[in-house]
C-alpha cells in the first residue's frame, strides 16, 4: 500500500484526518482534475453504453428497455461473427509473429556494436508513424496497378488476383503491416528487459556447463517474464481493438470487432442497439484479458511504491 | 560477424523501406508510377505531386488542424498530468493506488466502445465539429501514458531540494512549481513528445466527431486524398511523406530519451 495503514477511529475519523491535513488536501486537489476528466470522458460513457445496449432505439432516440435482446441479435449477426473471428485471428497471428521475431532481434542486438544507436533510432521510425498513414502507404504498395508488393507477389506467383479485393489476402496484408510497425517496438522493450539481466548470471551458468539453449530457457525467459507480460498485454489489447488498419488498409472490406461497432453506431442506424451491445462486448472482453494477465499470470502493476 | 551485420542491416532496411518507397512514388511522373515492372531507382522525376498537395487548401488546413489538435492535447495533458503525477509520486494520501489504477485503466479501454455515448454528449453541448471534441477525447486516452511517465520521472528526482524549499517556507504548490518543474524539464519534455505523437496519430475520434474540412486532421484527410473520381496516388504518397517526416526527425533527434521513456514502464513493470 502507498499510505501507511492508520487505525480507523470513530466513523469518519479518517475523513477528518485526510482533509484536515493541508498536505493531503493539496494532494487531493492536485489529482482531482485528472480524476474528474477520466471519470467523465471514459468511465461515464462506458456506463452509458451499457445502458444504451439494454434499450432499443436510434442514435437520437433511445427506445424501450429490451433486456439482453440486443446481445442475442448481435451474436446472430453475421457481420459481428466475422468481425469477431477476424479480430481473434489477427490478434493471435500478429502478436505471435511480433513476439517471436522481436525476441530474435532483441537477442541479436543485445550486445554493443558499432552503429547500435542508429539501429535503435531506425527501429523507432515505424512506431512513430500514425497507423492510418502507414496503412495508407502500404495500401499504395499493395495496390494492383501501382503497388510494388503486388507486382512482386504476382511475379513470384504468390497471388493470382488483386490483393485488396480478397478477404484472406487482406488479412495477411494487415498482419504484415502490423508486424512491420510493431515488431521493432517489441524488440526494443525486450532489449531493455534483457539489459537488466546481469552478465554474471550467464557467466555462472556457462561455468556450470549450460549451453545457449539451456541458458535461454533457464535464465533469459524467467528473468524476462515481467517485461514480456507487460509487452504482451499491451500488444494483445492493441491488436484486439484494431480499427484504423482494417478500415483504411482493408478499404472497409474487412470486418473487425471495432469496425463492426463503428459501422453500427455511426453509419447504419438500424443496427445502433446491436452496435452498443458490441461496444460493451469489446470493453468487457478487453477487461477480462487484462485481468487474466494481472491475476492469473501474476503481472505486477507498479501502482505501489 | 558478417552474418550479424547482414541481419541488422536487413532489419533497418525493412524498417525504413516503405518510407523511402513512398517518397520515390511521390517524385516520379505518372507514367513511371504506373510502369510495369516498377523501377527501383526513379528515372523521370517531377515535383507535380508535391505541388498538388501544397496547392491544395484542404490539405494545408488539415495540417494546421493536426498541429492545433495534437498541440493543445499535449499542453492540456502535461498541465493536468504533471500536477496529478507529482501528487502521486510525492505526497501521501489515501486512495493513491485507486486513483492511479483508474487513470491507467483507460489505456486498456477500446476507444470504439465509447464513441456513441461521447458523440451524444458532445452534440448536446455543441462540441461536434469543433477541435475540442477531438482534443477532449485524445486527452483522456493520452493521460495514462503522460501520468505514468511523469510519476516515474518525479520519483527519480532528489527529495532534498524540495524539502529545503519547504523549510524556507514554500507551500507544496510553490515547491512543485519552482523546484520540481524546472528540474523535471527533460522528463516533461519526453512526455510531451510521446503525448504529441500519440495525439498526432489519432484517427477514430477525429473521424467520428469532425466532419468539415475546417477541423479534420491529416489522418482523416489523407486516406481519402483524391481527385473527384480517382485517388491521386502520387499526391497521396507526397502527403504521407509530409506527415511522417517531421515525426521521423523528432524521433531521430530525441531517440535516446524516447527509448528510455518508453521502456521505463515495461522494464520496471
Amino acid at each position: 500500500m502507498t499510505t501507511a495503514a492508520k487505525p480507523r477511529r470513530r466513523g469518519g475519523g479518517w475523513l477528518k484526518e485526510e482533509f484536515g491535513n493541508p498536505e493531503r488536501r493539496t494532494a487531493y486537489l492536485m489529482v482531482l482534475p485528472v480524476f474528474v476528466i477520466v471519470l467523465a470522458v471514459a468511465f461515464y460513457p462506458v456506463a452509458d453504453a451499457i445502458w444504451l445496449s439494454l434499450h432499443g432505439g436510434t442514435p437520437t432516440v433511445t427506445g424501450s428497455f429490451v433486456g439482453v435482446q440486443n446481445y442475442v441479435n448481435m451474436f446472430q449477426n453475421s457481420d459481428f461473427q466475422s468481425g469477431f473471428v477476424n479480430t481473434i485471428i489477427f490478434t493471435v497471428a500478429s502478436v505471435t509473429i511480433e513476439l517471436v521475431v522481436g525476441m530474435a532481434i532483441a537477442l541479436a542486438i543485445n550486445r554493443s556494436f558499432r552503429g547500435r544507436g542508429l539501429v535503435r533510432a531506425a527501429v523507432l521510425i515505424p512506431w512513430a508513424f500514425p497507423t492510418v498513414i502507414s496503412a495508407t502507404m502500404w495500401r499504395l504498395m499493395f495496390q494492383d496497378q501501382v503497388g510494388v508488393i503486388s507486382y512482386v507477389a504476382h511475379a513470384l506467383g504468390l497471388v493470382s488476383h488483386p490483393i485488396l479485393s480478397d478477404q484472406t489476402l487482406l488479412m495477411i496484408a494487415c498482419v504484415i503491416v502490423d508486424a512491420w510497425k510493431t515488431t521493432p517496438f517489441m524488440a526494443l522493450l525486450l532489449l531493455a528487459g534483457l539489459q537488466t539481466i546481469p552478465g554474471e548470471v550467464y557467466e555462472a551458468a556457462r561455468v556450470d556447463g549450460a549451453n545457449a539453449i539451456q541458458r535461454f530457457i533457464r535464465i533469459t525467459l524467467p528473468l524476462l517474464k515481467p517485461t514480456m507480460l507487460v509487452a504482451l498485454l499491451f500488444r494483445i489489447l492493441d491488436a484486439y481493438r484494431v480499427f484504423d488498419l482494417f478500415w483504411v488498409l482493408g478499404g472497409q472490406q474487412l470486418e473487425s470487432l471495432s469496425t463492426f461497432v463503428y459501422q453500427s453506431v455511426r453509419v447504419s442506424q438500424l443496427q445502433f442497439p446491436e452496435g452498443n451491445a458490441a461496444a460493451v462486448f469489446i470493453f468487457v472482453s478487453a477487461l477480462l484479458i487484462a485481468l487474466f494477465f494481472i491475476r492469473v499470470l501474476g503481472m505486477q502493476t507498479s501502482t505501489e511504491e | 560477424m558478417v552474418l550479424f551485420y547482414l541481419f541488422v542491416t536487413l532489419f533497418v532496411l525493412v524498417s525504413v523501406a516503405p518510407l523511402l518507397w513512398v517518397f520515390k512514388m511521390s517524385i516520379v511522373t505518372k507514367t513511371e508510377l504506373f510502369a510495369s515492372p516498377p523501377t527501383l531507382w526513379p528515372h523521370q522525376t517531377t515535383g507535380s505531386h508535391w505541388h498538388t498537395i501544397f496547392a491544395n487548401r484542404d490539405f494545408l488546413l488539415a495540417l494546421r488542424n493536426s498541429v492545433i489538435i495534437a498541440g493543445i492535447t499535449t499542453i492540456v495533458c502535461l498541465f493536468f498530468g504533471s500536477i496529478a503525477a507529482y501528487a502521486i509520486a510525492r505526497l501521501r494520501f489515501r486512495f493513491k493506488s485507486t486513483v492511479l489504477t483508474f487513470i491507467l485503466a483507460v489505456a486498456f479501454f477500446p476507444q470504439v466502445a465509447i464513441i456513441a455515448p461521447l458523440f451524444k454528449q458532445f452534440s448536446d453541448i455543441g462540441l461536434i465539429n469543433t477541435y475540442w471534441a477531438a482534443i477532449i477525447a485524445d486527452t483522456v486516452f493520452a493521460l495514462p501514458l503522460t501520468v505514468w511517465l511523469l510519476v516515474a520521472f518525479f520519483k527519480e528526482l532528489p527529495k532534498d531540494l524540495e524539502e529545503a524549499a519547504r523549510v524556507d517556507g514554500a507551500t507544496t504548490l510553490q515547491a512543485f512549481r519552482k523546484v520540481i518543474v524546472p528540474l523535471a524539464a527533460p522528463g516533461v519534455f519526453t512526455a510531451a513528445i510521446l503525448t504529441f505523437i500519440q495525439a498526432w496519430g489519432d484517427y477514430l475520434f477525429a473521424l467520428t466527431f469532425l466532419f468539415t474540412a475546417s477541423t479534420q486532421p491529416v489522418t482523416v484527410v489523407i486516406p481519402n486524398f483524391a481527385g473527384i473520381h480517382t485517388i491521386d496516388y502520387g499526391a497521396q504518397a507526397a502527403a504521407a511523406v509530409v506527415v511522417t517526416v517531421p515525426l521521423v526527425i523528432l524521433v531521430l533527434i530525441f531517440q535516446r530519451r524516447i527509448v528510455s521513456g518508453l521502456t521505463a514502464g515495461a522494464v520496471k513493470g
Side-chain angles (χ1 to χ4, degrees):
Chain A
M1 278 308 290
T2 46
T3 48
K6 296 257 156 56
R8 279 193 194 197
R9 272 164 267 157
R10 294 159 276 111
W14 63 270
L15 252 180
K16 198 184 258 173
E17 195 178 310
E18 288 294 302
F19 292 98
N21 178 326
E23 180 183 312
R24 295 188 177 198
R25 228 170 25 227
T26 315
Y28 286 114
L29 278 177
M30 289 174 94
V31 293
L32 193 66
V34 168
F35 193 64
V36 170
I37 295 171
V38 163
L39 229 44
V41 189
F43 285 90
Y44 173 72
V46 165
D48 207 11
I50 295 173
W51 194 79
L52 283 173
S53 74
L54 300 172
H55 292 74
T58 65
T60 41
V61 184
T62 305
S64 54
F65 182 78
V66 295
V68 294
Q69 190 56 47
N70 294 327
Y71 289 90
V72 174
N73 296 344
M74 173 192 85
F75 280 116
Q76 288 168 349
N77 188 317
S78 63
D79 285 342
F80 170 82
Q81 290 166 358
S82 59
F84 185 51
V85 171
N86 285 346
T87 302
I88 300 288
I89 295 174
F90 173 78
T91 305
V92 171
S94 59
V95 176
T96 307
I97 293 173
E98 285 154 22
L99 182 67
V100 173
V101 181
M103 180 67 94
I105 292 166
L107 289 171
I109 58 180
N110 183 28
R111 45 169 153 170
S112 39
F113 58 90
R114 258 167 187 271
R116 180 167 160 173
L118 196 76
V119 174
R120 280 208 317 188
V123 159
L124 283 173
I125 290 174
W127 165 83
F129 281 22
T131 309
V132 276
I133 303 300
S134 45
T136 308
M137 286 169 48
W138 282 83
R139 195 175 163 80
L140 289 173
M141 296 191 288
F142 284 121
Q143 206 65 251
D144 204 35
Q145 301 216 347
V146 291
V148 59
I149 297 177
S150 184
Y151 174 82
V152 174
H154 274 283
L156 295 176
L158 293 174
V159 298
S160 53
H161 40 277
I163 295 172
L164 295 177
S165 59
D166 181 288
Q167 293 269 320
T168 312
L169 294 178
L170 271 182
M171 173 66 87
I172 294 172
C174 284
V175 172
I176 291 174
V177 178
D178 198 64
W180 167 77
K181 187 175 159 64
T182 324
T183 303
F185 178 61
M186 183 70 112
L188 204 64
L189 289 185
L190 295 175
L191 177 64
L194 283 178
Q195 288 174 346
T196 60
I197 303 175
E200 298 93 67
V201 184
Y202 288 106
E203 275 314 314
R206 205 171 285 143
V207 171
D208 291 345
N211 63 32
I213 294 168
Q214 286 171 327
R215 290 198 300 267
F216 177 72
I217 292 174
R218 296 279 169 78
I219 302 174
T220 312
L221 279 185
L223 289 176
L224 208 56
K225 190 184 158 207
T227 314
M228 271 170 62
L229 286 181
V230 175
L232 268 182
L233 175 59
F234 274 90
R235 284 308 309 139
I236 288 175
L237 287 180
D238 246 10
Y240 190 68
R241 296 181 282 198
V242 64
F243 175 78
D244 307 18
L245 203 55
F246 275 38
W247 191 254
V248 174
L249 185 63
Q252 304 169 26
Q253 303 296 309
L254 193 63
E255 200 87 62
S256 77
L257 276 178
S258 288
T259 63
F260 176 76
V261 174
Y262 180 79
Q263 299 250 37
S264 308
V265 300
R266 281 272 298 109
V267 185
S268 150
Q269 306 201 343
L270 289 170
Q271 291 181 354
F272 183 73
E274 285 171 48
N276 277 309
V280 174
F281 177 78
I282 293 198
F283 177 78
V284 172
S285 44
L287 190 71
L288 290 177
I289 294 173
L291 287 177
F292 175 79
F293 268 80
I294 292 164
R295 287 282 148 77
V296 180
L297 300 179
M299 189 180 112
Q300 299 286 313
T301 48
S302 51
T303 50
E304 282 126 61
E305 271 175 46
Chain B
M1 204 59 200
V2 175
L3 212 67
F4 170 76
Y5 273 106
L6 213 65
F7 178 71
V8 169
T9 313
L10 186 74
F11 174 54
V12 171
L13 212 62
V14 169
S15 294
V16 296
L19 182 62
L20 296 177
W21 186 263
V22 171
F23 176 72
K24 196 218 87 172
M25 286 185 75
S26 77
I27 57 165
V28 298
T29 59
K30 279 231 159 61
T31 335
E32 195 173 334
L33 198 59
F34 287 93
S36 181
T39 51
L40 191 61
W41 196 254
H43 296 302
Q44 302 163 269
T45 57
T46 169
S48 71
H49 306 305
W50 286 80
H51 183 79
T52 308
I53 59 161
F54 281 108
N56 184 319
R57 218 180 81 84
D58 284 350
F59 178 71
L60 296 179
L61 260 179
L63 261 186
R64 191 195 67 173
N65 295 337
S66 277
V67 171
I68 293 174
I69 292 172
I72 297 181
T73 299
T74 307
I75 293 167
V76 172
C77 260
L78 284 183
F79 180 77
F80 290 116
S82 63
I83 294 173
Y86 177 76
I88 292 167
R90 278 289 206 268
L91 305 179
R92 303 171 129 261
F93 61 99
R94 237 170 226 268
F95 312 119
K96 189 193 278 191
S97 44
T98 314
V99 169
L100 188 56
T101 306
F102 258 85
I103 299 169
L104 296 184
V106 175
F108 298 148
F109 272 44
Q111 283 92 330
V112 80
I114 62 166
I115 54 173
L118 268 189
F119 188 89
K120 212 173 52 169
Q121 286 168 34
F122 285 163
S123 359
D124 287 347
I125 46 177
L127 288 182
I128 293 299
N129 264 333
T130 68
Y131 292 135
W132 290 106
I135 291 169
I136 291 170
D138 287 348
T139 297
V140 169
F141 280 87
L143 269 172
L145 180 69
T146 319
V147 170
W148 172 283
L149 284 172
L150 290 173
V151 168
F153 286 128
F154 289 156
K155 275 185 182 165
E156 277 168 20
L157 296 177
K159 276 187 173 164
D160 328 8
L161 283 166
E162 283 160 271
E163 270 155 22
R166 300 288 286 280
V167 170
D168 289 346
T171 65
T172 305
L173 278 175
Q174 281 168 336
F176 170 66
R177 215 180 39 181
K178 301 222 166 115
V179 180
I180 291 298
V181 171
L183 268 181
V188 173
F189 184 71
T190 306
I193 294 177
L194 293 176
T195 308
F196 187 86
I197 289 177
Q198 182 169 344
W200 184 262
D202 167 59
Y203 177 63
L204 182 61
F205 289 135
L207 184 69
T208 312
F209 303 138
L210 308 174
F211 308 113
T212 57
S214 59
T215 50
Q216 280 177 337
V218 282
T219 45
V220 177
V221 170
I222 289 180
N224 302 323
F225 204 73
I228 296 169
H229 296 295
T230 55
I231 291 181
D232 184 344
Y233 295 113
Q236 199 173 40
V241 174
V242 171
V243 172
T244 42
V245 161
L247 294 187
V248 169
I249 293 171
L250 209 64
V251 163
L252 292 183
I253 297 176
F254 300 109
Q255 57 112 348
R256 205 167 286 274
R257 281 191 185 161
I258 293 176
V259 171
S260 61
L262 283 174
T263 50
V267 177
K268 280 180 198 156

